[in-house]
Amino acid sequence: MEEKRERVNIAELFGENVFGDRVMRERLPKAVYQRVREMMTEGYELEPAIADSVAQAMKEWAVENGATHYTHWFQPLSGVAAEKHDSFLSGVDAEGRALLEFSGKNLVRSEADASSFPSGGLRATFEARGYTVWDCTSPAFLRKEGDCVTLCIPTAFCAYAGEALDQKTPLLRSMQVLNREALRILKLFGIDDAKWVKPSVGAEQEYFLIDREKYLKRKDLIYTGRTLFGSMPAKGQELDDHYFGVLRKRIAAFMRDVDMELWKLGVSAKTEHNEVAPCQHELAPIFEEANLAVDHNQLTMEILQKQAGRHGLECLLHEKPFAGVNGSGKHNNWSVSTDTGLNLLNPGKRPHENQLFLLTLACVLAAVDTHADLLRLSAANVGNDHRLGADEAPPAIISCFLGSQLEDIVAQIIETGVASSSLSGKSLETHVDTLPNLYADVTDRNRTSPFAFTGNKFEFRMVGSGDSIASANIVLNTILAEQFRLAADRLEQASSVKEAAWELIRELLSKHQRIVFNGNGYSEEWVQEAARRGLPNLKSSIDAIPAFTSKKAVELFSAFGIYSETELKSRSIVAYENYAKRINIESRAMINISGKQLIPAAIHYVTRLATSVNQVKSACAAADVSAQEDLLLRASELLSDMKRSREKLQSDTDLAASIQDPAARAAAYHTQIVADMRILRESADALETVIDKDLWPLPSYGDMLFEVSEP
């Protein structure tokens, strides 16, 4: 009998598990509420009495909703959110009744073991103390797992000496400096009513769903998140029949539950659909402040994986879980807006006359051109190395797509110093009497561009599906702040801001026009053209990591207080160590799977086939067994190849693991181990096409991609 689901009222459901503005306004004394709002928007330090009042209200709300524990929820450099749970129980009174307590001190600060998280040498094993600090700009929320309810308090995480050990601290720093420098620009343009300027972000999230039963039979997926072996089935994504296709009942039910859980947490899940590859899907939220967007994307990934398990599915967030079909990313849609609703990246109806927009645009192009290596680094990870440059992802070369309208305006300004016109959209005739004609957008979109202007924002398409979007937004905020500072320094000295602004816009557009490219980013011609333009082509994570500690990066981040040189060096070490560790896990998983599953299966097949050949010959000497003998020879050759390549991979992995220097160790894994793994996979995948399906121990690509059965 089909399960009946009750109707959902989004308006009532949305934010019910969030200690947000509505709840604070209801539960906090008016003076306390106003002080907290001031602290959130203007950065006042929270007095102990105010903190105690907030903590008391937060505890009462949480307990009323079934919470027994609270946790400081933070995002260390491990790539996943972390938490340590404490109960509200503080003791027992004289009559044996439990005493519940949650003070302002508990709310504002907690201690975590800073030596057990990645720190890049900032913390030694014996230096364990670290602190989590309440981030009041991201509301606390309740995580409900059955009867278990926990109050989660978003926090920053720093070492005993104050160095940032997380993603949130530098993100908040970058938002702070962008706000400061942007307000200077606005003041020059006579805009005095804005109290703050913040980056707005919407992160589209791609992912795969497969049957959990099949997932549990694939040790490579369990250990690494991607398939290390697997030959392509007869059908892949050639027919484009999955993209925007009708949702299957099981997937639709999963998406519905994901939406409901996200809405309860105040995450504005908006759009969902089937993506290009079989079993691939996408979820996109509404734009919000960058800090909230980062936290909410972490929650989105968590909810996707938890809800998948409840539906007998497994959610894969690796950038390339299956070779031969599209991988997954997340498109970081980024803009800059004021509290009054002004979007600095909105061209308006007459963009050629919108000087503030054109200055912002010129500053963005200058920022991306100057720090293309840092932007590429912000999307660098092991999984993304498999994805970038393929047909579903932008190339590793950073460029900006502007579209025909802005490209024309830029050309006018470079040539004459001003622009006199803007291209307009056109009407598209449907030639169907019952259909209205369409008004086409003024410019097309470009899916091959890493950094594309899309109407009133830029879409950074390089971020990997399993990554935090914090790194990308830290870089974007900081590099734009730098250009705003340079612009403000110059314009504040000018006798005529308007004339000086036009001069600066022309200068920046002329100097940095090399970063603009509206063509096919996948073409070999673009690779050659980019080299002629002097644009960096950092093809792998290993190529990108040195940008952390370049003189240019140290000067940039140190000047704004985002990262100290020590923090940058530590992040460089963390990146190298993470790369080496992940490739090491993949290598040893391949060695394990090939040795314990694939080679024994191949031996069994060869033995069975040889026995069959001998039996046939014994029964009939004249029988034609050439087909069996050809198969036997082919399987034996591939088995021998697999054994040799496995042994080489084992030897080279042991050697790479013994290298002490993090950069040298990561380079060894990149150059040698990745190549060894590719060779081992080639023979294994070829064997899969020869050996009986009932003997092959791993669910095939066809099994996983096309057999997500209904429950």
Side-chain angles (χ1 to χ4, degrees), residues 168-438:
K168 180 178 285 286
T169 302
L171 175 67
L172 293 173
R173 291 171 180 170
S174 73
M175 293 173 64
Q176 183 171 289
V177 298
L178 178 57
N179 172 63
R180 184 179 68 228
E181 303 304 329
L183 286 175
R184 292 176 65 194
I185 296 292
L186 292 179
K187 185 177 181 180
L188 287 163
F189 281 80
I191 302 173
D192 298 318
D193 58 341
K195 294 182 179 179
W196 50 255
V197 179
K198 293 183 181 180
S200 297
V201 173
E204 305 168 36
Q205 177 70 56
E206 295 176 340
Y207 59 94
F208 280 81
L209 289 175
I210 64 172
D211 275 322
R212 182 164 175 79
E213 181 180 352
K214 298 184 178 75
Y215 166 84
L216 293 174
K217 295 178 181 178
R218 298 277 318 210
K219 295 295 186 183
D220 48 0
L221 283 176
I222 293 172
Y223 293 148
T224 72
R226 76 179 183 102
T227 52
L228 302 173
F229 301 100
S231 61
M232 277 296 294
K235 178 186 176 184
Q237 60 189 53
E238 303 91 337
L239 299 179
D240 301 318
D241 52 344
H242 190 257
Y243 192 47
F244 280 20
V246 176
L247 296 176
R248 285 173 289 182
K249 177 181 175 182
R250 187 179 185 185
I251 303 303
F254 158 80
M255 288 182 173
R256 178 186 185 275
D257 288 348
V258 167
D259 285 342
M260 288 181 37
E261 291 304 310
L262 289 176
W263 292 335
K264 291 176 184 177
L265 292 169
V267 181
S268 54
K270 173 72 173 176
T271 304
E272 55 200 20
H273 60 83
N274 289 341
E275 256 296 338
V276 174
C279 291
Q280 189 184 32
H281 312 279
E282 182 178 294
L283 182 152
I286 297 172
F287 281 69
E288 56 190 343
E289 292 177 13
N291 185 36
L292 288 176
V294 170
D295 286 356
H296 285 170
N297 184 251
Q298 287 288 338
L299 287 174
T300 296
M301 291 189 286
E302 178 184 314
I303 295 299
L304 284 171
Q305 293 182 312
K306 287 184 176 180
Q307 287 299 324
R310 295 183 179 116
H311 287 262
L313 300 166
E314 188 68 28
C315 175
L316 305 179
L317 293 174
H318 193 283
E319 286 72 24
K320 195 76 170 180
F322 301 101
V325 298
N326 278 13
S328 296
K330 60 181 74 171
H331 303 157
N332 188 87
N333 295 280
W334 174 81
S335 61
V336 182
S337 302
T338 70
D339 57 311
T340 59
L342 173 64
N343 181 353
L344 276 61
L345 285 172
N346 187 351
K349 294 182 178 180
R350 299 175 65 82
H352 64 285
E353 297 176 351
N354 190 340
Q355 194 178 45
L356 175 59
F357 162 73
L358 291 172
L359 178 60
T360 303
L361 176 68
C363 285
V364 169
L365 296 180
V368 173
D369 186 25
T370 304
H371 297 290
D373 56 344
L374 286 177
L375 199 54
R376 168 66 181 91
L377 172 62
S378 73
N381 68 49
V382 176
N384 235 6
D385 283 357
H386 298 285
R387 169 180 166 262
L388 294 180
D391 287 345
E392 78 280 8
I397 303 168
I398 297 288
S399 65
C400 298
F401 168 81
L402 295 183
S404 53
Q405 184 188 60
L406 294 186
E407 185 180 33
D408 176 66
I409 292 173
V410 168
Q412 291 181 59
I413 293 174
I414 291 174
E415 183 176 352
T416 67
V418 295
S420 59
S421 63
S422 301
L423 298 178
S424 300
K426 58 184 178 180
S427 178
L428 298 178
E429 295 185 8
T430 61
H431 300 291
V432 177
D433 293 341
T434 56
L435 295 178
N437 291 335
L438 301 174

Side-chain angles (χ1 to χ4, degrees), residues 117-180:
F117 289 103
S119 70
L122 284 177
R123 304 296 289 157
T125 302
F126 63 88
E127 297 173 318
R129 195 182 298 277
Y131 300 109
T132 51
V133 183
W134 178 37
D135 172 20
C136 65
T137 64
S138 183
F141 58 91
L142 298 176
R143 180 188 284 112
K144 296 183 177 181
E145 297 293 335
D147 294 332
C148 178
V149 182
T150 304
L151 172 65
C152 298
I153 304 161
T155 59
F157 179 45
C158 63
Y160 181 72
E163 300 97 343
L165 294 176
D166 66 341
Q167 301 279 22
K168 180 178 285 286
T169 302
L171 175 67
L172 293 173
R173 291 171 180 170
S174 73
M175 293 173 64
Q176 183 171 289
V177 298
L178 178 57
N179 172 63
R180 184 179 68 228

Side-chain angles (χ1 to χ4, degrees), residues 412-652:
Q412 291 181 59
I413 293 174
I414 291 174
E415 183 176 352
T416 67
V418 295
S420 59
S421 63
S422 301
L423 298 178
S424 300
K426 58 184 178 180
S427 178
L428 298 178
E429 295 185 8
T430 61
H431 300 291
V432 177
D433 293 341
T434 56
L435 295 178
N437 291 335
L438 301 174
Y439 180 79
D441 290 321
V442 73
T443 188
D444 202 351
R445 296 177 63 191
N446 189 328
R447 292 178 58 84
T448 72
S449 175
F451 197 69
F453 186 77
T454 55
N456 60 2
K457 57 184 171 61
F458 275 97
E459 181 182 34
F460 183 44
R461 298 174 57 87
M462 295 182 77
V463 183
S465 58
D467 254 6
S468 166
I469 60 172
S471 295
N473 288 292
I474 291 167
V475 171
L476 287 170
N477 298 340
T478 307
I479 62 178
L480 181 57
E482 179 186 47
Q483 292 300 321
F484 276 168
R485 172 182 283 185
L486 294 172
D489 287 346
R490 177 165 163 177
L491 297 181
E492 286 169 353
Q493 304 302 316
S495 57
S496 170
V497 171
K498 185 174 182 179
E499 291 180 6
W502 281 122
E503 182 181 343
L504 177 58
I505 291 169
R506 183 183 189 184
E507 180 181 309
L508 291 176
L509 293 179
S510 301
K511 182 178 180 181
H512 300 286
Q513 61 181 310
R514 69 172 186 167
I515 200 67
V516 177
F517 178 66
N518 288 341
N520 180 9
Y522 294 159
S523 67
E524 182 58 33
E525 290 77 11
W526 166 235
V527 175
Q528 298 171 5
E529 171 63 21
R532 284 193 291 272
R533 295 187 186 190
L535 299 178
N537 185 3
L538 306 175
K539 296 181 180 180
S540 74
S541 298
I542 297 301
D543 298 324
I545 293 173
F548 264 127
T549 51
S550 68
K551 180 181 178 182
K552 182 179 60 172
V554 172
E555 291 176 350
L556 169 73
F557 289 120
S558 297
F560 285 105
I562 309 299
Y563 296 117
S564 66
E565 184 173 3
T566 300
E567 287 173 324
L568 286 170
K569 288 180 178 178
S570 72
R571 275 164 166 74
S572 173
I573 294 172
V574 168
Y576 281 126
E577 289 178 340
N578 183 66
Y579 185 93
K581 288 174 181 177
R582 289 185 179 274
I583 298 297
N584 183 67
I585 292 171
E586 289 188 355
S587 172
R588 297 197 182 281
M590 290 192 82
I591 293 166
N592 182 285
I593 294 167
S594 60
K596 292 186 176 181
Q597 293 182 273
L598 305 189
I599 288 177
I603 292 174
H604 184 46
Y605 172 77
V606 167
T607 301
R608 191 172 74 175
L609 187 57
T611 301
S612 174
V613 169
N614 291 332
Q615 288 175 343
V616 172
K617 284 184 175 181
S618 298
C620 179
D624 183 3
V625 292
S626 59
Q628 296 95 311
E629 290 177 333
D630 287 345
L631 284 172
L632 180 60
L633 178 61
R634 175 63 174 158
S636 298
E637 289 175 344
L638 291 173
L639 174 59
S640 179
D641 289 344
M642 185 161 59
K643 178 178 178 295
R644 282 196 300 270
S645 49
R646 177 181 180 274
E647 290 171 348
K648 186 173 189 305
L649 177 60
Q650 175 77 71
S651 174
D652 289 345

